[in-house]
Amino acid sequence: MDSCPQWHEAGIDAETARELQSLAHLHKGARGRVIAVESAGVGGLSLGDDAGSTIARRLLEVGFVPGERIEVVEEIRPGGDPIAVRIGSSIFALRRREAHAVLVELESAEPFEALEGP
């Protein structure tokens, strides 16, 4: 049984899938690129409301778009919820429940471009 059929629907092969994570599973210092924002969330977690206003749509509107670099900059303790996430030059606080909608391809530990000085 396949654990992530959404990845196949998105055209993601098995090699790439090993490097993909839901943003909700990442911890402080993790970096990567947004691959997709799923309205049902990774793993089928429901993320909408009765009015049809989905968390996924709101995340896309504020910049969580495929290809954008992302970094987890802080986790609130205890429990690690919410997390502070840098996307582009902005920092957002997201609940882990909301972060489930974002699929991230992990990167190596190279410096984040927005942090480089003159």
Side-chain angles (χ1 to χ4, degrees):
M1 178 174 211
D2 196 340
S3 62
C4 291
Q6 297 93 347
W7 293 352
H8 295 292
E9 293 168 12
I12 299 169
D13 62 18
E15 182 68 28
T16 305
R18 282 185 228 139
E19 300 171 8
L20 297 180
Q21 294 267 340
S22 164
L23 178 56
H25 294 111
L26 301 182
H27 297 285
K28 184 176 178 178
R31 295 183 175 122
R33 292 192 185 275
V34 175
I35 296 300
V37 178
E38 305 265 334
S39 61
V42 176
L45 180 66
S46 178
L47 295 173
D49 63 17
D50 292 337
S53 176
T54 65
I55 291 169
R57 187 180 76 218
R58 284 180 262 164
L59 290 171
L60 287 166
E61 289 172 352
V62 298
F64 287 80
V65 294
E68 191 68 44
R69 292 192 68 184
I70 193 167
E71 177 184 17
V72 178
V73 293
E74 194 61 64
E75 295 177 275
I76 305 304
R77 295 289 177 202
D81 194 17
I83 57 175
V85 179
R86 182 187 324 270
I87 183 107
S89 60
S90 300
I91 296 178
F92 294 95
L94 295 176
R95 295 276 181 205
R96 296 274 179 185
R97 180 180 181 276
E98 298 166 337
H100 272 285
V102 182
L103 184 62
V104 176
E105 179 181 25
L106 298 178
E107 288 184 355
S108 63
E110 63 190 43
F112 194 75
E113 290 172 6
L115 297 178
E116 293 177 1

